[in-house]
Amino acid sequence: MSNWSFVARSEDVVEDGPHHVSAGGVDAVLIRVDGELRAFEGLCPHQGALLGEGELVDGQLVCRNHRWCFDGKSGERDGGPQCLQRYPLRETDGRVQIDLAAAVSTCFLGVEAVYVTLCDKRVPVRVINPDAGRAPSDLERLP
């Protein structure tokens, strides 16, 4: 189920960013890498600093507090196992929207991880041994 939320006007996010936005009480950050606008979770996994207050350097999102760097395409941390959730994004009629219900992380050794809702809690899970082009048969809960 989609949960598209308005987060910005397209004219306000023309620059590469980062741009802090929020929807439904969730902080997110918008960045433009290679001309493509992307949305990631807005808080650094290290100590919760707003990533929208950081900077974009050579395609990497850099946290302002302790300079943790995240790849602007995948969200993968440079030098560590941490990874930012990426939100699907669409621009329609000058409005930028992100889908908070469909956060995805692609940093787990090339295996897509997704966040599912179980008993009203968002839980990260990883696809186990997926066959290309087929639905996964099993999921593993991540720590």
Side-chain angles (χ1 to χ4, degrees), residues 84-105:
L84 299 176
Q85 296 177 63
R86 183 172 175 190
Y87 297 112
L89 178 146
R90 68 182 180 192
E91 286 186 81
T92 307
D93 298 325
R95 297 170 52 87
V96 177
Q97 297 176 311
I98 60 175
D99 187 351
L100 296 172
V104 174
S105 176

Side-chain angles (χ1 to χ4, degrees), residues 14-142:
V14 174
E15 301 295 323
D16 291 344
H19 307 278
H20 173 259
V21 297
S22 64
V26 176
D27 290 305
V29 61
L30 303 180
I31 58 173
R32 195 172 296 277
V33 176
D34 295 335
E36 182 182 344
L37 193 60
R38 300 168 187 268
F40 290 99
E41 67 180 283
L43 300 178
C44 181
H46 180 217
Q47 291 187 344
L50 286 173
L51 292 170
E53 295 179 354
E55 56 189 309
L56 193 61
V57 178
D58 297 327
Q60 289 199 325
L61 179 59
V62 181
C63 178
R64 67 179 166 90
N65 281 10
H66 297 99
R67 311 300 294 168
W68 277 26
C69 299
F70 300 91
D71 182 86
K73 292 182 179 178
S74 69
E76 185 173 0
R77 180 175 165 230
D78 183 19
Q82 297 79 5
C83 188
L84 299 176
Q85 296 177 63
R86 183 172 175 190
Y87 297 112
L89 178 146
R90 68 182 180 192
E91 286 186 81
T92 307
D93 298 325
R95 297 170 52 87
V96 177
Q97 297 176 311
I98 60 175
D99 187 351
L100 296 172
V104 174
S105 176
T106 56
C107 298
F108 297 94
L109 303 176
V111 176
E112 183 173 276
V114 295
Y115 288 75
V116 297
T117 301
L118 300 172
C119 301
D120 295 327
K121 289 187 136 188
R122 287 174 50 80
V123 178
V125 294
R126 174 176 46 205
V127 177
I128 298 174
N129 297 325
D131 293 324
R134 292 185 31 204
S137 59
D138 200 4
L139 297 175
E140 170 185 50
R141 184 174 178 164
L142 297 173

